[in-house]
Amino acid sequence: NIVIGCSIGCSYCYARMNNNRFHTIDDFNKPVFFENKLKMLNNKRHTAYLLTGQSDLSGWNEEWKDKVFSKMKENENTQYIFLTKRPENINLKETPDNGWFGVTVTSSKEKTRIDYLRNNIKAKHYHITFEPMFDDVGKLDLNNISWIVIGTETGNRKGKISSKREWVFNIYNQAKEKNIPVFMKEDLLGILNEDEFVQEFPKEFGGIK
């Protein structure tokens, strides 16, 4: 979490709830860059890092991106994962090959984010996270998608919606038609049986178990 903070304001945001609890930064609506964490990107202990667990890439300024991308180029065998809900606000014409750029899609109305991702961010690897899920996303255009993550809403939010197994398998089946690895989050256990549960990583992640 080299950047903490996001102004989007999703009602289900666990990162905002964590910040309200632990007060990591004063105003979660104003992202903060922790430059001292750049050195952590040199750590070869792990083969993949999620860099937007407490932020959205659309809220990063250009200087932050430049510094992180520069560090990524020094660690070509490590993979770095980014997520955004606002790909329409991003314009990246060049990114490191070990960057994985993705969008969060929570409903059928948000599928256009996938097109914005491919059009606005030039990258070697694209991915999609379907979490939380509020309806069946229907037919998907998965061209050039390298990884898919599926989950459900956690926590105790009023109006919370749990993923339905048919929604999960609609995505899973379309991914398998294109040989795209699928990672199902543990919170789907109970919605799915254990023998239906799949956790696959791209080969570039180095055989993470």
Side-chain angles (χ1 to χ4, degrees), residues 154-170:
T154 58
N156 299 305
R157 179 182 71 89
K158 184 178 180 181
K160 172 182 171 181
I161 297 176
S162 295
S163 301
K164 297 186 184 301
R165 57 184 292 111
E166 57 267 29
W167 302 351
V168 174
F169 280 109
N170 172 46

Side-chain angles (χ1 to χ4, degrees), residues 5-204:
C6 178
S7 62
I8 295 175
C10 301
S11 60
Y12 51 83
C13 180
Y14 69 87
R16 184 180 294 271
M17 288 186 285
N18 282 348
N19 191 70
N20 289 342
R21 180 180 178 186
F22 297 109
H23 307 289
T24 308
I25 61 174
D26 293 333
D27 185 351
F28 195 76
N29 290 315
K30 298 177 181 178
V32 176
F33 180 59
F34 291 85
E35 188 166 357
N36 63 310
K37 291 186 178 183
L38 278 172
K39 61 181 180 293
M40 296 173 63
L41 302 188
N42 292 322
N43 189 342
K44 303 298 191 295
R45 179 181 175 187
H46 302 294
T47 57
Y49 287 90
L50 172 64
L51 297 184
T52 52
Q54 300 284 321
S55 66
D56 187 287
L57 184 60
S58 65
W60 289 32
N61 69 37
E62 296 306 312
E63 180 184 3
W64 303 348
K65 293 173 192 170
D66 289 344
K67 288 182 177 181
V68 170
F69 289 178
S70 178
K71 187 61 68 172
M72 289 165 60
K73 291 174 183 176
E74 296 174 10
N75 297 276
E76 294 180 352
N77 293 324
T78 303
Q79 309 301 306
Y80 299 93
I81 306 165
F82 301 86
L83 266 174
T84 181
K85 294 184 175 73
R86 297 290 183 269
E88 66 275 15
N89 294 338
I90 300 175
N91 183 17
L92 287 173
K93 296 180 179 176
E94 183 179 355
T95 59
D97 284 350
N98 55 340
W100 291 69
F101 294 85
V103 288
T104 299
V105 173
T106 68
S107 71
S108 55
K109 294 185 292 185
E110 295 176 355
K111 289 189 291 184
T112 54
R113 292 178 180 175
I114 304 171
D115 293 325
Y116 279 115
L117 171 71
R118 290 180 291 222
N119 292 334
N120 290 14
I121 302 176
K122 181 174 176 53
K124 183 176 181 180
H125 305 289
Y126 298 114
H127 63 100
I128 311 170
T129 289
F130 297 92
E131 180 197 21
M133 294 175 65
F134 299 132
D135 65 18
D136 188 334
V137 296
K139 182 65 177 174
L140 297 164
D141 178 358
L142 298 179
N143 286 325
N144 297 322
I145 301 301
S146 300
W147 191 35
I148 284 176
V149 176
I150 310 174
T152 190
E153 184 175 358
T154 58
N156 299 305
R157 179 182 71 89
K158 184 178 180 181
K160 172 182 171 181
I161 297 176
S162 295
S163 301
K164 297 186 184 301
R165 57 184 292 111
E166 57 267 29
W167 302 351
V168 174
F169 280 109
N170 172 46
I171 297 168
Y172 175 79
N173 291 334
Q174 291 184 68
K176 289 296 101 179
E177 288 177 3
K178 290 188 171 291
N179 296 314
I180 301 170
V182 175
F183 184 91
M184 297 178 180
K185 290 196 171 182
E186 284 83 357
D187 47 46
L188 287 173
L189 286 171
I191 297 172
L192 306 180
N193 298 325
E194 285 193 26
D195 60 352
E196 299 172 316
F197 194 61
V198 174
Q199 289 191 322
E200 300 171 334
F201 292 97
K203 65 182 186 304
E204 291 86 351

